[in-house]
Amino acid sequence: MLPLVPQPRDDAKLADRLALSAATTRGAHLATDGFADWLAERGRANAFRVERIPFGRLDGWSFHDTTGNLLHRSGRFFTVEGLHVTERGGPYGDGPYAEWHQPIIKQPEVGILGILGKEFDGVLHFLMQAKMEPGNPNLLQLSPTVQATRSNYTKVHQGADVKYLEHFVGPGRGRVVADVLQSEHGSWFFRKSNRNMIVLTDDDVPLLDDFCWLTLGQIAELLHRDNVVNMDSRTVLSCLPVPEATADALLSDVQLLSWITGERSRHDVHAERVPLAGLPGWRRDEMTVEHEEGRYFKVVAVAVQAGNREVTGWTQPLFEPVGLGVTAFLTRTLEGVPHVLVHARVEGGFLDTVELGPTVQYTPGNYAHLPEEERPPFLDAVLAAPADRIRYDAVHSEEGGRFLNAESRYLLVEADERDVPSDPPAGYAWVTPDQLTWLVRHGHYLNVQARTLVACLNAAAARAR
């Protein structure tokens, strides 16, 4: 059960400040129309280069002689290991077992993803960073003020200090309006969490190169553009304490929590880390670790040059998905209230069995060989949706520090009774956007893809206003 937390008396004032920022599309420092030029200029100001290399050219990384795990000589950063997952989850927890093996990233440290807010001309602006990540399709995207692993901000790599970190750690930071541990990709990380923070300040904040102040309305506009706002920004933005629009929902909050608890109870998931060497169904050569049937994703290696990073040159492994993903909420208005269809989703790296994911979260090419009755539920309904039912549509990339060209098409698709009934199948539930906003203030309820769609829902609402 989520705890009852006393709310500060100025919550209403904060809600008004956030609403004003969301309604303001003309920033005090940078015009939205000028953002693309500003981002391009930051790209020209720094030297960026990413080159695929064989594993043998990795500096400091190697495959362990016994386990075959890919690890760094320092023992820090992360390792690429094997994972063996068995899962049983019929309607009463006694359905058939699913079983699979895969590579997984083990990174036993909590990073900080933090966005700093400050008022200019009476309107809240948020400090965003043009940050290069080697896996981003266009390299440079809009990231939070601080996006740093523990290894980064404790300077294991002996690099430069993380800029603006003092606003998120220590006694001198400003007013914290969001601070919650959230999961990373459960399909590719093993039990990895990051601290998502939003902090407001009245202090003078020097504007450094590669940073800009934007209103929520400006960020909402940028969320409608492909591959501009990075994953870390989207997950932090989803944690904003936006005001509730309605108290009505098909399921009450207590019923929703009970449903989530039931889903977690009925799924029997066992995830065991195993050696990468000899992982069933996977093969390794000098350039990749990949699935024998060419599906899902590959492990590859890159060499990176980045003039504006804490360390300006390095090599590392990355996970590279095979194909463009499709990630979508089906939406319906039920009893006069907007709802979205969530899926209680099992991923091998989750800390707590299941988290709420989008209606659809799949790479279609991985299932194209299957007969219609074995394809993922609702995938074909999303793929076949006519344009007049699509309420949001943009391509966003996933975490560019660990994943290479990992892109998904994010959609909000209006459905009707023929697509999905008001009483959905097992494992699915209708919830309101307000309930998602409530849940995301607490850790490990919504997966990272669902949190992106929460940010997209808020962006679509801001554009409509």
Side-chain angles (χ1 to χ4, degrees), residues 302-318:
V302 296
V304 184
Q305 294 292 325
N308 65 343
R309 289 290 297 265
E310 292 86 3
V311 172
T312 57
W314 70 92
T315 64
Q316 69 169 95
L318 291 171

Side-chain angles (χ1 to χ4, degrees), residues 109-115 144 146-150 153 165 167-170 173 176 178-184 192-199 232 235-237 239 443-444 451:
E109 59 180 28
V110 174
I112 293 178
L113 308 177
I115 294 180
V146 167
Q147 177 184 320
T149 66
R150 183 178 294 275
Y153 64 79
L165 181 66
H167 292 281
F168 300 91
V169 298
R173 66 189 186 188
V176 177
D179 190 356
V180 59
L181 287 179
Q182 298 286 9
S183 61
E184 292 250 3
K192 173 75 169 67
S193 298
N194 274 327
R195 189 176 181 183
N196 288 227
M197 302 182 69
I198 300 171
V199 176
D232 299 292
T235 181
V236 176
L237 290 167
C239 300
H444 302 285
R451 298 196 304 273

Side-chain angles (χ1 to χ4, degrees), residues 62 81 94 186 204 285 306 394 403 438:
S62 61
E81 307 177 6
D94 57 357
D204 290 333
D285 60 28
F403 312 133
W438 170 59

Side-chain angles (χ1 to χ4, degrees), residues 283 290-298 322 366:
R283 62 192 174 205
E290 62 181 348
H291 193 265
E292 291 175 349
E293 296 176 346
R295 300 192 182 103
Y296 311 120
F297 63 91
K298 304 174 182 178
V322 177
N366 291 334

Side-chain angles (χ1 to χ4, degrees), residues 350-368:
F350 281 156
L351 184 65
D352 199 358
T353 313
V354 303
E355 294 187 12
L356 300 190
T359 318
V360 166
Q361 182 189 316
Y362 302 104
T363 300
N366 291 334
Y367 303 91

Side-chain angles (χ1 to χ4, degrees), residues 92-126:
Y92 305 102
D94 57 357
Y97 273 102
E99 181 179 15
W100 70 92
H101 293 81
Q102 64 167 92
I104 198 81
I105 296 171
K106 180 70 169 68
Q107 186 172 351
E109 59 180 28
V110 174
I112 293 178
L113 308 177
I115 294 180
L116 186 66
K118 179 178 170 63
E119 279 192 1
F120 295 96
D121 298 337
V123 178
L124 272 175
H125 289 60
F126 295 87

